[in-house]
Amino acid sequence: DTGVSQDPRHKITKRGQNVTFRCDPISEHNRLYWYRQTLGQGPEFLTYFQNEAQLEKSRLLSDRFSAERPKGSFSTLEIQRTEQGDSAMYLCASSGESRGLSEQFFGPGTRLTVL
Amino acid sequence: AQTVTQSQPEMSVQEAETVTLSCTYDTSESDYYLFWYKQPPSRQMILVIRQEAYKQQNATENRFSVNFQKAAKSFSLKISDSQLGDAAMYFCAYRRGGGSQGNLIFGKGTKLSVKP
């Protein structure tokens, strides 16, 4: 399978704990995006990378959130001191370098539940 | 700031019939792209159809077509000959144009049910 993969698929944690999610994009894609989706809502943008550079961050990305893409391949999203409001589906997407219209391919998501 | 509005939280269609999902957006930019994504239950989001704002011709992909009204900032999705596998959440999304390849801005979605 050469699609976008995310790990873990589900994570249950207690409030105050740190969690880290991983995203592996499609291999030739240089852009990688993180979104958050809560129940009944559309995905909301968190941050995006072009290669290893983090080019844009949403105001939703508080200082408890940090994302990295150290070698321009996989990416990690860490949430420190989790809160119940962090419970959501975290989606990763990737897209390739091309002119004009470029499709974002989504992974299956990591569902986070904070107790 | 750009916004995307989907005013129909839920829609229902009979198998083999046609259904139209509505989407409006707000932007001051002239160069942008519009998308419809499908998210089946417990499955990942996939692209259904896309439209460049500078193209007047409406995009079509098999049973899926759009009605793009740029002046009205409207971008509806028509699904013809609906099938049971079309049941899903459908999200309308906007992305600014240029070379930025930036993030998508999504609406809240429309849940489509298909009745056999």
Side-chain angles (χ1 to χ4, degrees):
Chain A
D1 188 347
T2 57
V4 178
S5 61
Q6 292 187 245
D7 184 69
R9 295 290 305 276
H10 303 273
K11 178 70 176 179
I12 300 174
T13 191
K14 293 183 180 179
R15 190 176 53 186
Q17 297 295 305
N18 299 344
V19 295
T20 300
F21 311 141
R22 176 178 170 128
C23 170
D24 287 88
I26 293 171
S27 59
E28 64 268 25
H29 285 181
N30 68 333
R31 290 180 174 85
L32 186 148
Y33 306 81
W34 285 99
Y35 294 86
R36 182 173 70 186
Q37 185 177 21
T38 53
L39 203 60
Q41 302 292 320
E44 296 174 294
F45 170 71
L46 292 178
T47 189
Y48 123 74
F49 292 85
Q50 180 170 319
N51 299 314
E52 65 276 9
Q54 190 172 17
L55 294 188
E56 194 170 341
K57 292 194 290 186
S58 162
R59 289 174 300 171
L60 293 176
L61 211 67
S62 76
D63 56 6
R64 295 185 299 106
F65 288 69
S66 62
E68 294 182 341
R69 196 182 182 198
K71 296 183 179 179
S73 56
F74 72 91
S75 175
T76 58
L77 178 68
E78 181 183 16
I79 309 174
Q80 296 182 327
R81 304 181 303 280
T82 52
E83 301 173 356
Q84 287 185 329
D86 297 332
S87 295
M89 176 76 85
Y90 289 84
L91 298 171
C92 177
S94 71
S95 68
E97 179 82 42
S98 65
R99 289 186 173 275
L101 196 54
S102 179
E103 177 181 352
Q104 290 185 21
F105 293 83
F106 282 81
T110 294
R111 182 169 294 284
L112 173 66
T113 302
V114 182
L115 302 177
Chain B
Q2 297 84 15
T3 58
V4 176
T5 302
Q6 293 179 250
S7 58
Q8 306 154 315
E10 295 188 24
M11 291 284 285
S12 180
V13 63
Q14 203 72 32
E15 195 176 7
E17 297 295 309
T18 296
V19 65
T20 299
L21 307 184
S22 301
C23 173
T24 58
Y25 59 94
D26 189 23
T27 183
S28 58
E29 298 177 348
S30 59
D31 184 15
Y32 54 88
Y33 303 101
L34 297 165
F35 306 80
W36 279 98
Y37 276 86
K38 171 185 178 181
Q39 189 176 40
S42 301
R43 294 180 60 188
Q44 62 206 77
M45 197 167 309
I46 57 173
L47 180 66
V48 174
I49 197 166
R50 53 191 163 185
Q51 174 85 39
E52 292 104 315
Y54 63 85
K55 287 190 175 179
Q56 292 186 339
Q57 186 173 5
N58 289 324
T60 299
E61 290 285 344
N62 301 314
R63 297 183 295 108
F64 299 88
S65 62
V66 297
N67 184 3
F68 175 47
Q69 301 289 326
K70 191 171 184 178
K73 296 181 181 175
S74 171
F75 183 62
S76 60
L77 174 69
K78 186 171 83 170
I79 306 174
S80 304
D81 185 26
S82 297
Q83 301 176 358
L84 295 178
D86 294 333
M89 285 293 292
Y90 286 82
F91 293 97
C92 179
Y94 166 102
R95 180 169 67 76
R96 65 181 181 268
S100 66
Q101 302 286 338
N103 59 284
L104 295 165
I105 299 169
F106 288 88
K108 291 187 176 183
T110 297
K111 183 178 181 180
L112 178 66
S113 302
V114 181
K115 298 178 181 177

